[in-house]
Amino acid sequence: MKVIKRDGRKVEFDSNKIKKAVSKAYREIYPNKDTEKISDYASLATKNALESIEFLKTDCIDIEKIQDIVENVLMNIDKVVAKAYITY
């Protein structure tokens, strides 16, 4: 699958970028949490986001759509982390 970046370029989709961004949001809100626990939370959120993205059955998706999906997933898991993700 390709991702349309803000500048219009198309790049290969990389789910690790979602997990990395979600992990940063979790670390910002829960700086004293165990790294393994944060990784588990980020993995769950990433898994849920990927399922939603795959459900779209598209070969190309823009970055804003991916961000909206991740935001919605996080809002269902932890609204405070979702807000940190949105501002990140």
Side-chain angles (χ1 to χ4, degrees):
M1 176 188 318
K2 297 283 186 183
V3 175
I4 303 169
K5 304 288 273 182
R6 286 185 179 81
D7 64 5
R9 289 179 300 129
K10 291 182 181 179
V11 298
E12 283 299 318
F13 178 80
D14 181 358
S15 63
N16 290 322
K17 290 183 178 183
I18 294 173
K19 185 174 181 183
K20 183 177 176 183
V22 170
S23 293
K24 285 183 179 184
Y26 269 102
R27 269 192 237 105
E28 181 178 322
I29 301 304
Y30 303 110
N32 298 324
K33 273 269 193 221
D34 177 314
T35 303
E36 186 176 322
K37 209 50 150 169
I38 287 177
S39 181
D40 290 345
Y41 292 142
S43 292
L44 174 64
T46 301
K47 177 183 170 284
N48 291 346
L50 291 175
E51 288 172 357
S52 295
I53 292 167
E54 289 170 6
F55 182 78
L56 298 174
K57 298 188 187 303
T58 184
D59 294 334
C60 198
I61 186 171
D62 65 43
I63 192 70
E64 286 85 10
K65 182 67 176 171
I66 293 171
Q67 288 176 324
D68 289 346
I69 289 170
V70 175
E71 288 170 16
N72 287 331
V73 165
L74 288 173
M75 288 297 280
N76 289 322
I77 296 172
D78 188 323
K79 288 180 177 38
V80 177
V81 174
K83 288 178 184 178
Y85 174 84
I86 291 166
T87 58
Y88 169 75

